[in-house]
């Protein structure tokens, strides 16, 4: 059985949990509060030298890090990963977009606002990050003008990757009201079979 090392409030960890639930794949969840410093201890760094969650234990002693790589691994031979070469590349296109243009500007503001003390110097980063976050949401909005999902016209791991932080973007200070297509897509994703909310603890 897989073991997931994750923090329940983290969108990156939620991606993995959501896919495992939708695949109906059994797994164990090891809750890790990254603020405890545990992920920077030698024991954990031996599992993931990058010191972050989520981390998937495939078999005893074999680990895979990076949420989108874990999605890719788990989704093989499932309905969440298309068979067509071009469509697979489109899924990856949106997953790379999520990591480079979305995560630092949609997810990180949420982390700063939710988890850092009010006097943290990192609050000074917020306005620049939120500006870039709005740019990322605008890219998503434009794409969804003519589509229901990000790739292949059906729900894939590209949607899971982007849903995780977009649906809680307001917690970082990004209002979704100006993005009606994004809101409709969020509603579609939330009724996909086997969907579980971020707040549900495993
Ligand atoms: N690109 C990575 C990001 C992972 C990441 O930043 N995880 C955060 C929680 S969401 C973490 O472990 N933070 C603790 C730290 O940086 O010490 C992914 O997609 O998995």
């Amino acid at each position: 059985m897989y073991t997931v090392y994750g923090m329940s409030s983290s969108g990156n960890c939620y991606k993995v949990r959501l896919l495992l639930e939708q695949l109906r794949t059994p797994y164990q969840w090891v809750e890790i509060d990254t603020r405890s410093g545990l992920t920077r201890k030698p024991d954990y760094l031996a599992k993931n030298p990058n010191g972050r969650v989520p981390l998937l234990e495939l078999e005893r002693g074999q680990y895979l890090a990076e949420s989108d790589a874990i999605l890719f691994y788990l989704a093989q031979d499932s309905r969440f990963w298309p068979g067509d070469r071009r469509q697979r590349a489109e899924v990856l296109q949106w997953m790379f977009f999520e990591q480079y243009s979305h995560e630092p500007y949609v997810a990180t503001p949420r982390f700063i606002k939710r988890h850092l003390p009010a006097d943290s110097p990192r609050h000074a980063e917020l306005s620049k990050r939120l500006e870039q976050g709005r740019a990322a949401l605008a890219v998503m909005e434009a794409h969804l003008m003519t589509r229901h999902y990000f790739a292949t016209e059906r729900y894939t791991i590209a949607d899971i990757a982007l849903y995780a932080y977009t649906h809680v973007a307001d917690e970082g200070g990004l209002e979704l009201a100006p993005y009606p297509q994004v809101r409709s897509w969020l509603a579609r994703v939330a009724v996909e079979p086997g969907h579980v909310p971020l707040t549900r603890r495993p």
Side-chain angles (χ1 to χ4, degrees), residues 146-161:
T146 54
R147 290 150 188 273
H148 286 90
Y149 297 98
F150 276 90
T152 83
E153 257 318 292
R154 65 187 170 83
Y155 179 68
T156 67
I157 52 173
D159 299 287
I160 294 180

Side-chain angles (χ1 to χ4, degrees), residues 7 9-13 15-16 34-35 39-40 44 48 50-55 65-70 98-99 103 107 110-111 165:
M7 182 164 70
S9 61
S10 150
N12 283 319
C13 300
K15 293 174 193 174
V16 176
T34 58
R35 291 162 302 182
T39 55
R40 303 303 163 118
Y44 190 86
N48 178 10
N50 198 26
R52 290 185 165 83
V53 288
L55 182 68
E66 291 294 328
S67 59
D68 288 359
I70 296 171
E98 186 267 342
Q99 285 286 298
E103 184 174 305
R110 176 175 178 263
F111 171 76
Y165 285 105

Side-chain angles (χ1 to χ4, degrees), residues 19 32 66 87 106 116 118 143 147 154 162 165 178 190 195 199:
L19 179 58
I32 297 205
E66 291 294 328
Q87 292 179 343
V106 178
L116 297 185
H143 185 70
R147 290 150 188 273
R154 65 187 170 83
L162 282 162
Y165 285 105
H195 182 87
T199 47

